[in-house]
Amino acid sequence: MALRKILTDEDPALHKVCRPYTVFDERLWGLLDDMKETLADANGAGLAAPQVGILRRAVIVVDSNDEMLELVNPELIWTDGEQEGFEGCLSVPGRWGLVKRPMRAKVRAQDRNGNWFEVSGEEIVARCFCHELEHLDGHLFTEHTDRLYTTKELDALMERE
Ligand SMILES: [Zn+2]
């Protein structure tokens, strides 16, 4: 396993549509292992393959039990409700935006061996599913907000509440 470099939003890799996986081999497993190590090191909630420069449809999402879900070729198949909250991205360091997302979401995906499964999440996990899956189509959370806040501004806002 190895840490991978996380690309930031000026990198063209973050603005491309990623290709699906058709082969479930050591190359994919190595990427998933590296992504998990990189995500843990960065203390993030989710990471998509294009963020480490791989234009393929794979993401890691931290679930409500603090387990890392491996989602290969994930698709959002159901959403319900709405939430609004501050969101950030490891590829947009130090910037935060107020973003509306569904309160609940269900994803269909393949595991590292190609077996399909479904997984549901709510609140921060639902937010994370939506955020990470968008990365696979070249989209970032910054497209959903008019204003980005610095960490300092966000801290000041939180203190006021
Ligand atoms: Zn992100």
Side-chain angles (χ1 to χ4, degrees):
M1 298 220 290
L3 288 180
R4 305 250 181 154
K5 183 175 183 281
I6 299 176
L7 305 176
T8 48
D9 61 342
E10 67 274 8
D11 196 292
L14 285 166
H15 304 278
K16 300 234 161 81
V17 176
C18 299
R19 286 182 300 145
Y21 273 98
T22 53
V23 178
F24 298 80
D25 62 3
E26 289 87 353
R27 237 178 122 95
L28 167 63
W29 304 337
L31 172 70
L32 292 170
D33 291 341
D34 286 356
M35 283 173 66
K36 290 203 274 193
E37 195 180 343
T38 305
L39 180 59
D41 181 70
N43 204 18
L47 187 68
Q51 291 181 276
V52 294
I54 306 293
L55 296 178
R56 291 290 195 144
R57 305 187 82 83
V59 307
I60 305 291
V61 169
V62 178
D63 73 8
S64 52
N65 300 317
D66 260 345
E67 306 273 351
M68 289 193 188
L69 297 172
E70 300 177 352
L71 306 172
V72 181
N73 298 331
E75 301 159 18
L76 205 54
I77 54 171
W78 175 84
T79 62
D80 181 53
E82 190 179 80
Q83 57 174 318
E84 189 174 46
F86 278 99
E87 193 165 316
C89 178
L90 294 173
S91 293
V92 190
R95 293 286 183 278
W96 309 87
L98 204 51
V99 178
K100 277 196 182 114
R101 298 287 191 187
M103 183 55 95
R104 286 165 286 278
K106 190 187 276 185
V107 170
R108 182 173 181 263
Q110 283 167 288
D111 66 17
R112 59 167 62 203
N113 296 305
N115 303 304
W116 286 98
F117 65 99
E118 290 180 3
V119 58
S120 305
E122 51 182 64
E123 298 182 338
I124 191 166
V125 181
R127 174 176 293 284
C128 202
F129 283 156
C130 297
H131 177 119
E132 298 311 326
L133 266 60
E134 277 183 352
H135 272 299
L136 303 180
D137 290 315
H139 296 295
L140 297 177
F141 82 96
T142 50
E143 296 167 35
H144 300 296
T145 181
D146 295 332
R147 153 126 215 231
L148 290 178
Y149 296 79
T150 64
T151 305
K152 207 173 154 187
E153 286 174 321
L154 182 69
D155 288 346
L157 274 177
M158 293 301 172
E159 263 172 41
R160 217 177 297 156
E161 273 177 14

